[in-house]
Amino acid sequence: MSHSSELRTLYTPRNPEGKPTAYRVSHPNILFIMSDQHRFDWLDCRGMEDLHTPHLDRLAEEGVIFSQATCNSPLCAPSRAALATGLRPPRCHVLDNSYSLSPDAWTIYRHLRRYGYRTALFGKLDLHKPQFYNGVRGDLPIVYQLGFTDPLEAEGKQHGAQRIFVEGADGSREHLLIGPYQRHLQDKGLLESFCADYAQRYRQHAHYAAPSVLPCEDFEDAWIGEKACHYLREVNDDSPWFAFVSFVGPHNPWDAPEEYLQHYEDVSMPNPMMDPGADRAAWVQQKQEEMIRGTDEVTAQEMRRNYSGMVTLIDDYVGEMVDILETRDLLNDTIIVYTSDHGEMLGDLGLVHKSVQYEPALRVPLILSGWGVPSLGASDALVELFDVTPTLLDLVDLPVPSGLDACSFVPLLQGETDVHRQYQIAQLPFTTCIRDEAFKAIINPNDRPELYDLRNDPWETENVYDQHEGRYRELMQRLHEHVTGGRNLNA
């Protein structure tokens, strides 16, 4: 099929005369909402009853939430690159945050654009992270090359407070704005106080939490949400669209806007799960020692309250976006995805942030709702984040490239099976894990192996490697077959 005939499949005339000005879109739109560092269980519908997430809960109720979904790497850039390409981090050559995705790489964004979709971006992309510059309008040429027709790429959560100064020939120093969010703050006279606040936070311990110094409307996720909502109100319906709304929260620093923090002022958050002294790898124990300093129950509570406030702000914008689609009569013609690039330890096992293979950092919320998605409620099927990529292409009836590591879970949605993968894999340069329904093996080269019985010990408090060494070896063999043997371990 030629490229032009492929494009014509997206449109059908409204009237028998086939007038060129009267077309309707025959493919669904896609609203893809991603947050940064949102752990799988931090939703009301996942058991956090004091958390205010009614709009995400509604999407989960009307569609499906994958309760066992895992990211492909518990780190921003490799996870997002795997999602974009449908390839595991080593195969798309993005191993950690020091790598950029090749601008020539196949991405789902380029693929959708090729088949006639408008492809919009609002917020964090992280596919050329080491460049450290997003352009003051968020529309650098590389973002078009990666597949976006309507980009507004913004700085990441911590990135937005970074300062770059250019020294002139006369010795003067000029501040270089590195992205559109910094330009917004400068225009509002807020950039200096914001950067000073973050500089002060960096000098604190990892659990330090305090409300944002910014007005709520200037908090970055509110700014991203408003830009996305404006687009959804105005986007033409003469072609299908894909809108990637990529919030920067609830990533640390823990700085919810004051009005959102007030939601949780009197709420007692569940305390972090303490590590009873599991036999972990030495590098993990060192990380625990560094992160536990300066931490007590009060600081943990404040960290979790701020985290919750940031989640609720995102939830409010999810609700506003859904309302806009309803108002425009587009809701039934739109697939909605909500997920995150990885999770957050939030003090569990004496750890914060990510870059470890434990469940709070590894598992992510994954919700699909809308066009073509039945109301299934919760699914315990083993899916990986990048499986969303071929799934969306299947749902909108576009070809899925051969050679992807990701696998469409449309058969799950259609009720043809209740099993998707036998194993889930997540990779970092220094550690890899493989997980099935019962056990998780964590491979730490030149360090202590770890094995956890997820059914009997879901918080991974006891390393049972010595009791089940054979089970560990079996999982290692499955990992070897998949990663180095080229064998597909999908069900």
Side-chain angles (χ1 to χ4, degrees):
M1 182 181 288
S2 70
H3 184 63
S4 60
S5 61
E6 288 170 346
L7 291 180
R8 282 200 297 270
T9 65
L10 296 180
Y11 313 99
T12 56
R14 288 184 187 274
N15 54 69
E17 292 80 17
K19 294 179 181 178
T21 57
Y23 284 88
R24 70 172 175 82
V25 176
S26 58
H27 280 52
N29 306 308
I30 303 171
L31 174 58
F32 196 117
I33 307 168
M34 174 173 269
S35 54
D36 193 343
Q37 216 156 293
H38 187 182
R39 56 187 274 167
F40 74 102
D41 57 353
W42 224 257
L43 291 167
D44 186 357
C45 65
R46 297 301 302 151
M48 279 289 293
E49 296 180 356
D50 290 324
L51 190 66
H52 189 68
T53 54
H55 307 295
L56 290 170
D57 296 343
R58 172 192 169 185
L59 293 180
E61 181 180 355
E62 295 178 351
V64 56
I65 181 169
F66 292 94
S67 61
Q68 299 293 318
T70 58
C71 61
N72 303 101
S73 176
L75 187 61
C76 300
S79 179
R80 291 165 180 264
L83 174 67
T85 62
L87 300 175
R88 297 201 179 277
R91 290 198 63 214
C92 65
H93 311 294
V94 180
L95 302 178
D96 60 31
N97 285 348
S98 66
Y99 290 77
S100 291
L101 183 65
S102 168
D104 296 323
W106 179 92
T107 70
I108 185 175
Y109 319 122
R110 291 177 65 183
H111 199 63
L112 289 168
R113 183 184 65 188
R114 177 192 175 196
Y115 284 92
Y117 272 77
R118 301 181 191 274
T119 48
L121 164 67
F122 303 95
K124 177 177 176 177
L125 185 60
D126 253 10
L127 296 184
H128 60 107
K129 194 178 185 81
Q131 291 184 351
F132 205 74
Y133 180 66
N134 302 107
V136 292
R137 293 181 177 84
D139 59 352
L140 290 178
I142 189 172
V143 186
Y144 290 94
Q145 193 166 356
L146 290 167
F148 292 96
T149 60
D150 302 290
L152 179 65
E153 184 187 19
E155 307 90 315
K157 182 74 184 290
Q158 295 170 312
H159 184 192
Q162 299 296 316
R163 311 296 300 272
I164 296 179
F165 292 93
V166 179
E167 192 166 312
D170 59 355
S172 62
R173 297 175 77 230
E174 180 182 356
H175 178 219
L176 173 68
L177 296 174
I178 60 176
Y181 181 59
Q182 282 200 354
R183 183 177 68 168
H184 167 79
L185 292 181
Q186 185 180 67
D187 291 345
K188 296 290 291 286
L190 297 169
L191 183 58
E192 293 299 325
S193 60
F194 176 67
C195 291
D197 175 55
Y198 269 38
Q200 186 269 337
R201 290 173 187 269
Y202 295 147
R203 294 191 288 269
Q204 303 293 330
H205 56 76
H207 295 68
Y208 177 78
S212 175
V213 298
L214 297 174
C216 185
E217 64 268 20
D218 298 305
F219 192 71
E220 187 167 6
D221 277 339
W223 178 80
I224 290 170
E226 288 297 332
K227 296 294 185 182
C229 287
H230 177 76
Y231 179 85
L232 294 178
R233 291 187 189 99
E234 301 295 328
V235 61
N236 289 334
D237 59 0
D238 57 354
S239 69
W241 49 259
F242 171 93
F244 186 29
V245 183
S246 186
F247 292 105
V248 300
H251 195 293
N252 60 292
W254 321 116
D255 65 338
E258 183 67 51
E259 65 187 75
Y260 278 91
L261 186 56
Q262 288 175 1
H263 285 297
Y264 302 101
E265 192 172 35
D266 300 318
V267 175
S268 179
M269 292 285 158
N271 286 318
M273 173 62 66
M274 302 308 294
D275 187 356
D279 186 12
R280 304 189 192 277
W283 73 268
V284 175
Q285 295 182 45
Q286 181 180 355
K287 201 176 186 76
Q288 289 172 316
E289 291 174 5
E290 293 170 353
M291 291 183 168
I292 204 69
R293 295 173 190 155
T295 304
D296 55 26
E297 186 173 320
V298 173
T299 59
Q301 285 286 315
E302 287 306 308
M303 174 182 65
R304 289 176 165 222
R305 289 189 184 106
N306 276 269
Y307 187 82
S308 298
M310 291 188 283
V311 169
T312 296
L313 184 152
I314 291 170
D315 182 84
D316 277 354
Y317 276 103
V318 170
E320 187 169 344
M321 286 184 270
V322 171
D323 287 346
I324 292 168
L325 296 180
E326 285 186 310
T327 299
R328 295 194 62 188
D329 197 24
L330 294 175
L331 190 58
N332 292 333
D333 298 323
T334 304
I335 302 166
I336 302 175
V337 180
Y338 178 83
T339 191
S340 189
D341 52 358
H342 50 74
E344 162 62 54
M345 293 303 296
L346 271 185
D348 287 328
L349 306 179
L351 297 165
V352 288
H353 311 331
K354 62 272 189 181
S355 298
V356 292
Q357 300 284 14
Y358 304 120
E359 297 288 276
L362 182 68
R363 288 165 63 187
V364 294
L366 176 57
I367 301 170
L368 269 73
S369 184
W371 191 94
V373 180
S375 180
L376 299 178
S379 169
D380 293 331
L382 302 185
V383 301
E384 297 184 36
L385 179 58
F386 72 167
D387 290 334
V388 176
T389 293
T391 299
L392 289 176
L393 295 180
D394 267 355
L395 285 173
V396 302
D397 196 27
L398 293 182
V400 178
S402 61
L404 300 187
D405 299 321
C407 183
S408 169
F409 51 75
V410 164
L412 280 174
L413 300 177
Q414 295 177 341
E416 298 172 8
T417 181
D418 57 3
V419 177
H420 179 60
R421 290 183 176 274
Q422 298 287 357
Y423 306 93
Q424 295 163 301
I425 296 169
Q427 296 165 284
L428 288 164
F430 49 89
T431 180
T432 298
C433 86
I434 180 167
R435 178 186 186 275
D436 64 16
E437 291 181 341
F439 284 89
K440 179 199 290 182
I442 301 177
I443 297 90
N444 301 298
N446 302 315
D447 208 331
R448 175 70 166 154
E450 297 178 61
L451 183 72
Y452 297 98
D453 181 347
L454 298 176
R455 286 177 174 165
N456 296 309
D457 179 25
W459 287 101
E460 301 163 291
T461 60
E462 181 183 4
N463 182 1
V464 296
Y465 169 77
D466 291 332
Q467 298 96 297
H468 299 280
E469 190 174 347
R471 189 75 180 89
Y472 179 88
R473 287 199 302 270
E474 179 186 339
L475 288 170
M476 283 284 288
Q477 180 62 29
R478 300 287 84 77
L479 179 67
H480 173 75
E481 290 171 354
H482 183 76
V483 173
T484 63
R487 177 182 166 195
N488 194 323
L489 296 181
N490 298 341

